[in-house]
């Protein structure tokens, strides 16, 4: 009797139904064709280990020699490789080097100057792996269950200490909730706040957050912006349940929120029973100024602190956090479904070790110096072109202000040159009034290119600007 339980074996799906039909081609020929097609199509990628011939023969109900001969044929053709004791694996896919893209998805640009994007080639792989090993070795068995809906206690404790030490946040592990990034946090908070009252946002800000709020049936209203940051006095125009601010480093203009306006915002929240949602945008990366602390310590019962590892480490981690007022913890957990579905426990344990071991601090300091050198190189290259430059003191972006009508042309030329940029206009709230300045501009991220590619990206950008502005 054939056993379908082969300990240690690799599964491989191949459809050989043709062999049961009278007059069908030989089993070996069909198997070779099926394997070749699986490799050619990319379903079996280069380096994929194939099952031992005995295992695949048992799974398919055919002779072991037939599988061995089919493997040998494909090794001879260069599709597979085999070595005694090492097994058989895919050598050459014969497929396209890039996977098919869904319609409507932009092709990856040669020069990625999109804002808010870190250099993922500098992800600290060895240090992260060391933390992952230690975290997994020390992990209790219950870490492999869903666990506390707020997130792993080890990470919440590590973040409470880190945020207090580095950003001045006043919180405890009990009021920290782990989420899958700042956008996810805003979605959860929008569910808690409900659609009855709008959420106020800065007149210029990340459109993804506005879209997330709108997708949940709530609305946003804009407050003004000037050289001191968000005009929080505008909040009195609305019956808003919360205001979303970037007080450490405005996105995209780059200024910090004036201390008097910080105080005014928390006073408004206390007076109205509302909340301030503090997106600590680029709080880790500052260059020419003393660090601007978090706003949350002014009123921990009214301010929700939001942060993530997306720019400090990598977006793919999908790892974020909220430091919540006491009265929001249970509603936010309930809005998340009552379980920690969104960030796996092992990633949380790894991040906890990464923070407590000091590796996170070392990585931030190293990248801060690297990004500062890139910013200086970019500013130096832009100087002869006569464009306005804002947002110099912190973050991973610069805002380039342009003559009227130049934004569209710069974006078009950039697209043709393989440069990914963001136009300032998409950051403007659709309901922002004439009292809010409406300049042309582009937002240039200097974080994403790998170190060896940065000079080429800067030269390409300057070429586009020079061709537009000459």
């Amino acid at each position: 009797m054939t056993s379908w339980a082969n300990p240690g074996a690799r599964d491989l799906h191949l459809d050989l139904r043709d062999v049961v039909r009278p007059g069908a081609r030989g089993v070996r020929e069909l198997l070779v064709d099926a394997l070749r097609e699986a490799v050619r199509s990319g379903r079996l990628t280069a380096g994929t280990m194939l099952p031992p011939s005995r295992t695949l023969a048992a799974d398919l109900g055919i002779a072991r020699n037939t599988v061995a001969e089919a493997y040998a044929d494909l090794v001879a053709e260069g599709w597979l490789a085999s070595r005694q004791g090492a097994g058989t694996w895919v050598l050459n896919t014969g497929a396209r080097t890039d996977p098919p893209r869904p319609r409507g998805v932009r092709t990856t640009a040669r020069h990625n100057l999109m804002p808010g994007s870190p250099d993922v080639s500098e992800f600290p792989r060895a240090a992260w792996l060391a933390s992952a090993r230690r975290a997994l070795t020390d992990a209790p068995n219950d870490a492999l269950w869903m666990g506390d809906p707020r997130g792993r206690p080890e990470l919440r404790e590590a973040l409470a200490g880190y945020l207090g030490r580095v950003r001045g946040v006043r919180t405890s592990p009990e009021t920290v909730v782990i989420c899958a990034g700042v956008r996810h946090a805003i979605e959860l908070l929008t569910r808690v706040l409900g659609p009855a009252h709008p959420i106020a946002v800065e007149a210029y800000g990340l459109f993804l957050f506005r879209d997330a709020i709108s997708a949940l049936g709530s609305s946003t209203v804009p407050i003004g912006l000037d050289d001191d940051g968000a005009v929080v006095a505008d909040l009195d125009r609305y019956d808003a349940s919360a205001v979303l601010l970037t007080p450490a480093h405005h996105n995209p203009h780059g200024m910090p929120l004036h201390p008097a306006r910080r105080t005014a915002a928390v006073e408004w929240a206390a007076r109205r029973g509302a909340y301030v949602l503090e997106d600590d945008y680029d709080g880790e990366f500052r260059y020419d100024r003393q660090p601007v602390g978090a706003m949350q310590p002014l009123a921990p019962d009214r301010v929700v602190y939001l942060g993530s590892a997306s720019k400090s480490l990598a977006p793919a981690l999908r790892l974020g956090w909220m430091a919540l007022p006491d009265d929001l913890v249970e509603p936010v957990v309930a809005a998340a479904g009552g379980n920690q579905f969104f960030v796996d426990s092992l990633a949380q344990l790894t991040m906890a070790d990464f923070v407590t071991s000091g590796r996170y601090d070392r990585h931030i300091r190293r990248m801060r110096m690297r990004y500062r050198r890139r910013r200086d190189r970019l500013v130096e290259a832009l100087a002869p072109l006569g464009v306005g430059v804002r947002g110099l003191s912190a973050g991973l972006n610069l805002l380039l202000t342009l003559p009227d009508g130049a934004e569209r042309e710069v974006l078009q030329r950039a697209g043709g040159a393989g440069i990914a940029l963001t136009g300032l206009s998409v950051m403007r709230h659709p309901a922002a009034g004439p009292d809010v300045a409406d300049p042309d501009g582009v937002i240039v991220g200097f974080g994403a290119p790998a170190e060896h590619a940065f000079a080429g990206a800067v030269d390409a950008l300057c070429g586009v600007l020079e061709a537009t502005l000459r």
Side-chain angles (χ1 to χ4, degrees):
M1 177 180 295
T2 299
S3 173
W4 299 103
N6 297 302
R10 297 172 179 269
D11 285 339
L12 175 62
H13 172 74
L14 294 171
D15 191 349
L16 300 183
R17 286 174 295 180
D18 282 350
V19 300
V20 303
R21 296 207 312 263
R25 293 177 295 161
V27 177
R28 173 177 164 181
E29 183 182 353
L30 286 169
L31 180 57
V32 167
D33 287 349
L35 285 167
R36 189 188 291 117
E37 179 57 29
V39 174
R40 181 187 287 116
S41 68
R43 186 165 69 85
L44 296 181
T45 58
T48 300
M49 296 298 299
L50 298 182
S53 58
R54 183 189 300 276
T55 300
L56 186 57
D59 288 349
L60 296 176
I62 60 180
R64 179 185 178 185
N65 285 346
T66 301
V67 177
E69 290 167 358
Y71 280 179
D73 289 347
L74 292 172
V75 168
E77 293 178 13
W79 294 95
L80 305 180
S82 181
R83 188 169 64 247
Q84 183 68 31
T88 303
W89 63 93
V90 176
L91 183 64
N92 173 27
T93 65
R96 299 187 307 176
T97 57
D98 58 317
R101 292 179 292 108
R103 287 188 300 174
V105 175
R106 183 176 54 197
T107 302
T108 301
R110 292 197 302 276
H111 304 296
N112 182 4
L113 296 178
M114 292 294 287
S117 302
D119 181 357
V120 294
S121 71
E122 293 294 328
F123 184 84
R125 296 174 190 234
W128 185 261
L129 182 58
S131 285
R133 283 200 190 99
R134 185 155 64 181
L136 187 56
T137 299
D138 297 341
N141 289 334
D142 67 9
L144 303 180
W145 295 97
M146 288 296 188
D148 193 311
R150 294 169 295 180
R152 287 299 306 173
E154 297 89 343
L155 180 55
R156 291 187 286 111
E157 183 175 359
L159 286 172
Y162 175 82
L163 295 174
R165 171 171 58 85
V166 175
R167 305 297 298 133
V169 173
R170 292 166 53 192
T171 190
S172 69
E174 288 70 32
T175 54
V176 171
V177 172
I178 307 303
C179 56
V182 173
R183 176 172 177 162
H184 181 222
I186 289 172
E187 290 172 346
L188 296 176
L189 291 162
T190 300
R191 291 190 178 101
V192 169
L193 296 170
H197 303 280
I199 295 175
V201 297
E202 295 157 329
Y204 281 86
L206 192 57
F207 58 90
L208 295 176
F209 294 162
R210 298 196 302 262
D211 291 347
I213 293 168
S214 298
L216 291 170
S218 294
S219 60
T220 60
V221 290
I223 59 174
L225 189 74
D226 61 22
D227 289 340
D228 289 327
V231 181
V232 298
D234 287 355
L235 289 169
D236 289 327
R237 300 179 183 177
Y238 309 112
D239 184 20
S241 59
V243 58
L244 174 61
L245 299 174
T246 51
H249 182 236
H250 178 266
N251 177 23
H253 287 83
M255 76 288 283
L257 185 62
H258 191 281
R261 294 190 179 178
R262 291 180 168 223
T263 301
V266 297
E267 289 177 347
W268 167 83
R271 186 169 64 250
R272 299 291 293 269
Y275 296 95
V276 175
L277 312 183
E278 178 182 10
D279 177 9
D280 195 24
Y281 189 79
D282 289 342
E284 307 95 338
F285 299 117
R286 73 272 179 180
Y287 311 118
D288 303 323
R289 69 183 187 203
Q290 291 296 314
V292 177
M295 187 174 171
Q296 187 264 2
L298 295 177
D301 61 332
R302 289 288 109 196
V303 180
V304 178
Y305 178 90
L306 308 174
S308 81
S310 293
K311 290 187 288 297
S312 59
L313 287 169
L317 291 178
R318 306 310 306 140
L319 186 57
W321 43 84
M322 296 176 268
L324 294 164
D326 290 341
D327 62 330
L328 286 182
V329 174
E330 289 189 10
V332 166
V333 167
N339 280 293
Q340 183 52 253
F341 296 113
F342 304 100
V343 183
D344 73 80
S345 293
L346 297 181
Q348 294 183 54
L349 290 170
T350 301
M351 185 67 183
D353 184 84
F354 201 68
V355 172
T356 57
S357 67
R359 295 185 178 105
Y360 191 50
D361 284 84
R362 291 192 291 273
H363 175 70
I364 293 294
R365 287 195 298 270
R366 183 173 69 89
M367 295 310 298
R368 188 181 296 145
M369 295 300 296
R370 177 155 295 185
Y371 290 143
R372 176 172 181 162
R373 289 195 296 269
R374 292 189 183 190
R375 182 210 61 172
D376 292 347
R377 167 73 179 86
L378 177 57
V379 171
E380 180 183 0
L382 292 171
L385 300 179
V387 296
V389 181
R390 305 191 62 173
L392 294 174
S393 60
L396 302 183
N397 311 328
L398 293 180
L399 171 59
L400 308 185
T401 55
L402 301 169
D404 289 348
E407 177 179 327
R408 179 183 293 273
E409 184 176 353
V410 167
L411 292 175
Q412 288 175 340
R413 288 181 181 271
I419 306 171
L421 295 173
T422 293
L424 178 59
S425 59
V426 302
M427 306 288 276
R428 182 181 174 88
H429 195 287
D435 55 327
V436 177
D438 186 17
D440 275 28
V442 292
I443 308 162
V444 180
F446 51 84
E451 195 72 11
H452 70 275
F454 184 66
V458 171
D459 290 345
L461 173 65
C462 290
V464 164
L465 293 171
E466 187 173 11
T468 304
L469 302 177
R470 64 188 173 193

